[in-house]
Amino acid sequence: MKLILAVVQDQDSNRLLNVLMDNNFRVTKLASTGGFLKSGNTTFLIGTEDHRVDKALQLIKENCKSRDQLIAPVSPMGGSTDSYIPYPVEVEVGGATVFVLPVEQFYHY
Ligand code: 2BA
C-alpha cells in the first residue's frame, strides 16, 4: 500500500476531488498553506494499493494546471528591510507537488 500526498492549487481541488472519487479512490482533502507564498493551497491524502498509484498520478496530472502568480511587494514598515521586495515578482506555481510514501501499517477501525 502507498500514501500519496499531493499539494495542489485551490482552483483545481474540487475538480480533482470529484474525479478521484469517481475513480473509487479514498481521499482526504486538507486546507494547507504554502511556505513561500504564504497563501492557501490544498493537500490531498490518498491511501491506495500499489497497482493503483499510476492511475492516481495520471488523474492528478490531468486535472492540475501550472499558473503564474504575482507576489505583492513586501512593505518594510515595522519589519526588517532584509526581506523588502519593492516590486511584484511573478512565480510559476506548479500544478501539483506529489510525494508517494510506502505505508508500513494500515488500520481502519
Ligand atoms: P509555496 O511554498 O507557497 O510555493 C509556491 C511557489 O513559489 C512554488 O511552486 C515555486 O514556484 C515558488 N517557490 C517556492 N519556494 C521558492 C524559493 N525558495 N525561491 C523561489 N521560488 C520559490 P511549487 O514548487 O509548484 O510549489 C507549490 C506548493 O507546493 C508550495 O507552495 C508548497 O506548499 C508545496 N511544496 C512544494 N515543494 C514542496 C516540498 N519539497 N515539500 C513540501 N511542500 C512543497
Side-chain angles (χ1 to χ4, degrees):
M1 188 176 198
K2 295 282 193 287
L3 177 66
I4 301 172
L5 278 178
V7 184
V8 310
Q9 295 183 45
D10 288 344
Q11 296 96 312
D12 297 322
S13 62
N14 282 338
R15 187 179 52 241
L16 180 59
L17 180 64
N18 290 335
V19 88
L20 288 168
M21 296 303 297
D22 290 347
N23 282 271
N24 298 314
F25 285 98
R26 291 199 170 204
V27 180
T28 299
K29 180 175 170 258
L30 304 172
S32 46
T33 304
F36 186 70
L37 294 179
K38 297 181 177 54
S39 64
N41 54 27
T42 301
T43 299
F44 284 87
L45 305 182
I46 308 160
T48 190
E49 298 308 318
D50 289 20
H51 71 274
R52 302 207 67 213
V53 168
D54 286 346
K55 180 65 183 177
L57 295 177
Q58 179 203 332
L59 296 173
I60 294 167
K61 199 170 172 186
E62 284 174 0
N63 288 281
C64 299
K65 291 185 220 150
S66 298
R67 294 179 184 88
D68 291 333
Q69 197 163 320
L70 279 180
I71 310 176
V74 176
S75 163
M77 297 282 286
S80 159
T81 50
D82 293 348
S83 57
Y84 176 51
I85 303 174
Y87 46 83
V89 175
E90 195 169 72
V91 292
E92 184 182 319
V93 184
T97 300
V98 184
F99 304 86
V100 180
L101 291 76
V103 174
E104 202 168 298
Q105 296 183 53
F106 169 68
Y107 301 103
H108 190 215
Y109 298 115

